[in-house]
């Protein structure tokens, strides 16, 4: 990290948020200058499979509308794209849960669709409809709008990651994220969100060459975007194949897995020390297939039994999750008990504690705070000592 070249120096202001920072220059064409270190944050060590004293914890969507501080910013800046594409707002929102709860991971506030305009696909976000792509790609002609990703258009992402690294130091891991090619393609082909996925699934059979061309382009663009995030400060990157669970396992093998594998192999060739996490909502039927992508950690949703998931995946790969997000509406004692159960079931190595999906709107902040308090209080040694042998098989 220290060896990266300096790119620019600027001042960031947002309310009380005021700092001078240095934005490290990008070297995405030259590979990564990131190496494993004994001073790496707990989450990074865990994702690499190192022995640690407790599982690190963070939450998907840990910055968002359940927080009063976020709602206050959203009132002043009602456009989601403004909030997620303006450096000072990104940093301020990303740091809100860090200041409030001190998770072991600080994920950049962004969106999986953020890089689309940088390779030729403009989009809007409407209050009711959500993401809208006004010219979906459904023909060979439509593919002509695509071009190599222009990372200069994503400087706000790079700057934000750099500032976050300066802010949290090695007290927590700075997390980047991207969407998987299949998931991003659903928006590009359907023109936005969908419940049926009929257009893209029909294209699998009627226009497979068009879909393959789109997915290949996305795989290349996303690979470069991940390397850019790493060179800007991300220490671990999560790949969201959010809609991969809408495919049959055979379809996922054909239309999603090869493109994720391409991303992983490309990134690992340039950034071998940076862990990659893969999450799919509804992934119970895909776990073994997900492992074949080459990622370091598999995120389990809450419908998968953690002990069963660990058994199916084996000890050579990390797991993340998988407390039910709805549990956070329960009494604090129930949160404690279930969090401990998940940790025991996952085993004492290679487990990142998380929810099985994102934090729900309306979740009490007290419950989120308690979840992280419980996580920090855990130790694998004490869990092994305080429970009968029959409950501690996964901790051995």
């Amino acid at each position: 990290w220290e060896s990266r070249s300096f790119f620019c120096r600027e001042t960031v202001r947002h309310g009380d948020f005021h700092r001078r920072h240095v934005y490290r220059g990008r070297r995405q064409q030259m590979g990564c200058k990131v190496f494993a270190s004994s001073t790496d944050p707990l989450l990074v060590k865990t994702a690499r499979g190192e022995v640690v004293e407790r599982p690190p914890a963070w939450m998907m969507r840990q910055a968002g509308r359940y927080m009063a501080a976020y709602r206050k910013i959203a009132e002043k800046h009602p456009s989601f794209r403004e909030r997620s594409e303006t450096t000072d707002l990104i940093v301020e929102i990303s740091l809100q849960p860090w200041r409030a709860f001190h998770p072991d991971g600080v994920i950049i506030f962004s969106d999986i669709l953020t890089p689309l305009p940088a390779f030729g696909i403009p989009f809007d976000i409407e209050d009711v409809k959500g993401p809208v792509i006004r010219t979906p790609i459904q023909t060979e002609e439509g593919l002509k709008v695509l071009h190599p990703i222009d990372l200069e258009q994503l400087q706000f992402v790079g700057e934000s990651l750099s500032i976050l690294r300066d802010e949290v130091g090695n007290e927590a891991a700075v997390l980047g994220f991207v969407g998987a090619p299949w998931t991003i393609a659903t928006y590009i082909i359907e023109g936005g969100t969908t419940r049926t996925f009929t257009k893209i699934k029909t294209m699998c059979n009627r226009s497979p060459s068009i879909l393959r061309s789109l997915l290949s382009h996305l795989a290349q663009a996303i690979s470069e975007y991940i390397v850019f995030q790493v060179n800007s400060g991300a220490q671990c990157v999560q790949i969201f194949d959010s809609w991969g669970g809408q495919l049959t396992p055979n379809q996922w093998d054909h239309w999603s897995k090869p493109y994720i594998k391409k991303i992983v192999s490309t990134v690992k060739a340039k950034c071998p020390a940076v862990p990659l996490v893969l999450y799919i909502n509804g992934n119970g039927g895909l776990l073994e297939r997900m492992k074949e992508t080459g990622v370091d950690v598999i995120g389990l949703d809450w419908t998968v039994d953690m002990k069963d998931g660990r058994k199916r995946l084996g000890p050579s790969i990390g797991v993340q999750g998988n407390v039910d997000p709805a549990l956070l509406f329960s009494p604090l004692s129930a949160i404690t008990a279930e969090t401990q159960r998940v940790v025991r079931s996952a085993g004492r190595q290679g487990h990142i504690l998380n929810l099985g999906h994102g934090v729900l709107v309306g979740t009490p902040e007290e419950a989120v705070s308690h979840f992280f308090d419980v996580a920090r209080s855990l130790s694998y040694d004490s869990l092994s000592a305080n429970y009968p042998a029959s409950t501690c098989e996964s901790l051995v």
Side-chain angles (χ1 to χ4, degrees):
W1 174 257
E2 287 79 6
S3 66
R4 295 183 194 151
S5 61
F6 292 165
F7 186 80
C8 69
R9 190 180 298 268
E10 62 182 306
T11 301
V12 176
R13 297 177 183 270
H14 179 68
D16 295 331
F17 180 59
H18 174 203
R19 70 175 58 80
R20 290 192 64 79
H21 77 277
V22 175
Y23 174 42
R24 280 96 171 166
R26 296 177 290 110
R27 291 185 178 178
Q28 67 274 6
Q29 292 86 3
M30 299 172 61
C32 297
K33 297 295 183 182
V34 178
F35 306 95
S37 169
S38 60
T39 62
D40 284 333
L42 179 65
L43 188 150
V44 176
K45 292 180 178 180
T46 301
R48 289 182 183 143
E50 298 179 24
V51 176
V52 295
E53 67 277 6
R54 67 168 177 88
W58 70 283
M59 289 183 178
M60 290 180 280
R61 295 182 187 165
Q62 67 185 13
R65 290 193 176 277
Y66 77 98
M67 293 192 72
Y70 176 87
R71 295 193 298 272
K72 184 176 181 180
I73 287 182
E75 289 177 4
K76 186 175 180 181
H77 303 275
S79 166
F80 176 83
R81 288 197 64 180
E82 180 191 4
R83 296 194 298 275
S84 62
E85 298 181 16
T86 306
T87 300
D88 57 342
L89 295 177
I90 295 169
V91 173
E92 176 65 17
I93 293 169
S94 302
L95 289 175
Q96 285 176 345
W98 163 248
R99 293 170 180 149
F101 314 121
H102 289 282
D104 295 298
V106 175
I107 191 166
I108 184 173
F109 182 75
S110 187
D111 191 85
I112 61 172
L113 300 185
T114 294
L116 265 60
F119 52 82
I121 303 175
F123 73 96
D124 297 315
I125 295 183
E126 298 182 356
D127 290 340
V128 177
K129 289 185 176 181
V132 176
I133 294 173
R134 305 198 184 280
T135 308
I137 294 178
Q138 298 171 354
T139 64
E140 197 79 38
E141 184 69 20
L143 293 172
K144 294 180 180 179
V145 303
L146 298 174
H147 57 72
I149 190 167
D150 178 8
L151 295 170
E152 294 297 327
Q153 295 187 39
L154 296 166
Q155 290 304 310
F156 55 87
V157 173
E159 292 168 1
S160 299
L161 287 166
S162 181
I163 298 169
L164 291 173
R165 275 293 294 275
D166 289 341
E167 282 294 308
V168 304
N170 283 328
E171 294 183 57
V174 173
L175 308 176
F177 72 92
V178 298
W182 167 264
T183 288
I184 294 179
T186 65
Y187 293 95
I188 294 172
I189 291 169
E190 299 280 347
T193 55
T194 177
R195 294 182 179 180
T196 61
F197 301 90
T198 52
K199 293 176 183 177
I200 189 169
K201 287 187 176 183
T202 298
M203 188 176 283
C204 292
N205 297 304
R206 288 187 178 175
S207 307
S209 62
I210 296 173
L211 182 54
R212 280 194 292 267
S213 294
L214 175 60
L215 292 170
S216 295
H217 189 93
L218 292 173
Q220 179 61 36
I222 293 165
S223 298
E224 294 182 34
Y225 187 39
I226 292 177
V227 174
F228 170 72
Q229 290 190 30
V230 171
N231 279 333
S232 299
Q235 296 165 288
C236 180
V237 177
Q238 179 153 314
I239 302 169
F240 285 90
D241 195 8
S242 306
W243 304 124
Q246 296 296 319
L247 294 168
T248 67
N250 183 63
Q251 288 174 326
W252 192 80
D253 279 346
H254 193 73
W255 294 108
S256 188
K257 184 172 74 173
Y259 303 97
I260 296 175
K261 287 182 70 173
K262 176 62 175 176
I263 291 170
V264 173
S265 63
T266 300
V267 173
K268 288 295 184 181
K270 296 181 178 181
C271 311
V274 176
L276 299 176
V277 182
L278 176 59
Y279 173 82
I280 300 175
N281 188 30
N283 61 8
L286 299 172
L287 295 187
E288 294 82 359
R289 288 168 162 85
M290 292 171 70
K291 184 178 179 180
E292 294 170 1
T293 62
V295 296
D296 303 281
V297 180
I298 300 295
L300 307 182
D301 77 8
W302 76 96
T303 66
V304 178
D305 179 77
M306 176 57 80
K307 189 173 183 179
D308 180 59
R310 174 61 98 180
K311 182 178 180 180
R312 289 168 59 186
L313 290 167
S316 63
I317 191 168
V319 292
Q320 179 175 273
N322 70 335
V323 173
D324 183 350
L327 178 75
L328 298 180
F329 292 87
S330 301
L332 300 185
S333 60
I335 296 173
T336 300
E338 178 62 6
T339 301
Q340 291 177 342
R341 185 196 69 79
V342 167
V343 171
R344 292 197 304 273
S345 298
R348 66 181 305 148
Q349 187 171 344
H351 174 222
I352 299 171
L353 181 61
N354 205 316
L355 303 181
H357 200 277
V359 182
L360 300 172
V361 175
T363 296
E365 292 188 47
E366 178 190 17
V368 175
S369 179
H370 182 73
F371 174 89
F372 286 116
D373 286 343
V374 172
R376 282 188 293 273
S377 73
L378 296 174
S379 78
Y380 289 124
D381 290 341
S382 64
L383 283 172
S384 296
N386 293 335
Y387 291 89
S390 61
T391 67
C392 295
E393 294 174 0
S394 297
L395 290 173
V396 178

